[in-house]
Amino acid sequence: MDSVGVAAAAAPDAGPGPAWQSKCPWGAPSTSISCSLADVMSEQLAKELQLEEENAAFPEVVAAAEGPFITGENIDTSSDLMLAQMLQMEFDREYDAQLRREEKKINGDSKVSISFENYRKVHPYDSDSSEDEVDWQDTRHDPYRADKPTTTPKRGFIGKGKDITTKHDEVVCGRKNTARMENFAPEFQVGDGIGMDLKLSNQVFNALKQHAYSEERRSARLHEKKEHSTAEKAVDPRTRLLLYKMVNSGMLETITGCISTGKESVVFHAYGGKSATEDKVIPPECAIKVFKTTLNEFKNRDKYIKDDYRFKDRFSKLNPRKIIRMWAEKEMHNLTRMQNAGIPCPQVVILKKHVLVMSFIGQDQVPAPKLKDVTLSNEDMKKAYYQILNMMQQLYRECNLVHADLSEYNMLWHDGKVWLIDVSQSVEPTHPHGLEFLFRDCRNVSQFFQKGGVAEALNERELFNAVSGLNITADNEVDFQAEIEALEKMNEDHVQNHGKKLSTFSSDGDPPIYDE
Ligand code: ADP
Ligand code: MN
């Protein structure tokens, strides 16, 4: 390698450059020649010196926002797409850093400066802006559109007699082509020919233009993919920035890795840091639940939130991303209610958009096992059953909630007791389907403990009555469910007629009791 090689290693764009770049201008042979160890050493030394010089000149250029998260060893690497996107993100960041360096080089100490802002690949994150409504592509001006198109006279020529110059004149055309290269984006390396009297042939110019366009399209495609990539693992660049910010602010110490990837959410483990405010204590270990911002999986869950009157007014007005945030918000509110009632559940730390941070149930990065995965002694099994019966009653009566996804999958065994998690879909009992959800919960619980050998376990209908305080007497499932639906309908009719929501169902045929 020669000195050009060293310079190329530090060049900003790893993309294909014009052909002249790879050729040595001094005509040295392009084939590699064997060289002595000393040569190799001096080349390395040159590289090192160059790096040192660069670092000294631009010390702030650290790969932006690099946190423990992205370098974490135990990050889920099972998705090729995810990996590719993360690499692209890294690449884009390096590119931006280089862009910033170029900007600095050009501007120097000059009072008037130019900005490459519009050419950045990664756009700065601003938590308070309503960036959701603004697509970066809409806000950029098109870098490839010539500001002032050079006009050719309509008649296609200028001058007279033997001095006539047509638009096809090689020299004029070549110069014009060279000038038009300025309109390519800065990442597109056209060399410094613009300052010289360089004449580009139409053929070369068109080839370059074509390449510039396809590069832009490629870049736009990648960005578009990134915007929607949450579908894969819920950590799209937006989410990643949210997480980086939590680490950067010191609120979280480190994000160690992924605990669970579900259809609707991804859960990470993190070590807590220090809170900015004195009164708040961050738990030593946290769970970060990231709600996936893809709508596909949430579509069939609309009914949980659409009909929840607490969210009803807002639902219709929101865009999809905001609806996802409402899931996170719902989980936060429900957890807070449970916490206040003393039900063992994660404690809310903070909610940021679709990311909910809560206390971690488990220890040393190991999450507490789900009830379905743990083998309990008969005694513990019985203890767990009575605890759950109690919690379901508290949830219904004190929190005015029905879990709506209660099963051995959403109960953790920790510290000798059962902890309830996953309450984003929980609703109030007067939700149009609230009692049906409760019945389903009862069926899951009852079946689990009956199978688990707890002789005292009530059957699903008995459990339903014990939790709700209702007294449905039907002795078979079909009739029981019919009665439940009749109750729900009665409640809905009351809402229709009175415009008010009932807070409790009456158990003995009395007129329903109003909350307000
Ligand atoms: P999903 O909707 O994906 O089921 P969950 O809230 O149930 O979301 O979380 C998925 C899994 O992540 C849980 O089964 C549990 O193993 C783990 N998990 C969630 N929250 C916590 C927490 N606070 N502490 C420990 N583990 C948790
Ligand atoms: Mn779950």
Side-chain angles (χ1 to χ4, degrees), residues 337-350:
R337 278 195 200 184
M338 289 159 72
Q339 194 71 211
N340 290 342
I343 295 173
C345 68
Q347 192 190 336
V348 173
V349 176
I350 201 168

Side-chain angles (χ1 to χ4, degrees), residues 18-163:
W20 55 263
Q21 208 177 40
S22 56
K23 276 210 184 121
C24 176
W26 297 286
S30 56
T31 48
S32 63
I33 35 167
S34 58
C35 52
S36 71
L37 180 66
D39 287 346
V40 176
M41 295 299 282
S42 69
E43 189 187 321
Q44 266 175 8
L45 187 70
K47 260 186 202 169
E48 273 167 31
L49 284 174
Q50 164 121 13
L51 262 176
E52 241 174 62
E53 207 175 291
E54 261 180 37
N55 287 345
F58 313 106
E60 89 289 0
V61 189
V62 196
E66 192 120 354
F69 175 63
I70 205 137
T71 52
E73 307 238 311
N74 38 5
I75 193 156
D76 192 345
T77 49
S78 58
S79 159
D80 289 346
L81 179 62
M82 181 65 194
L83 276 178
Q85 279 161 347
M86 284 171 70
L87 278 172
Q88 181 65 42
M89 182 85 173
E90 284 299 288
F91 186 79
D92 285 352
R93 245 192 243 117
E94 270 168 40
Y95 170 87
D96 283 0
Q98 179 61 29
L99 209 61
R100 244 169 266 137
R101 258 179 299 208
E102 303 253 316
E103 208 174 88
K104 218 171 171 171
K105 218 189 309 185
I106 290 174
N107 291 330
D109 294 332
S110 165
K111 281 199 182 111
V112 184
S113 61
I114 63 151
S115 167
F116 286 169
E117 178 69 36
N118 286 339
Y119 298 109
R120 297 235 170 98
K121 303 260 184 189
V122 184
H123 285 259
Y125 175 74
D126 172 12
S127 65
D128 299 314
S129 73
S130 55
E131 94 287 356
D132 288 350
E133 278 73 50
V134 189
D135 194 316
W136 67 274
Q137 283 162 351
D138 299 334
T139 60
R140 283 163 47 123
H141 80 275
D142 180 357
Y144 301 114
R145 203 189 306 130
D147 290 333
K148 269 191 231 113
T150 337
T151 53
T152 313
K154 269 215 182 82
R155 50 197 172 133
F157 61 91
I158 41 171
K160 272 184 193 159
K162 68 173 170 55
D163 294 329

Side-chain angles (χ1 to χ4, degrees), residues 260 262 265 267 287 289 346 358-361 367 370 409-410 421-422:
S260 147
S265 72
V267 180
K289 187 165 177 178
M358 55 189 144
S359 63
F360 179 72
I361 313 301
K370 300 180 183 86
Y409 288 82
N410 283 328
I421 58 161
D422 202 0

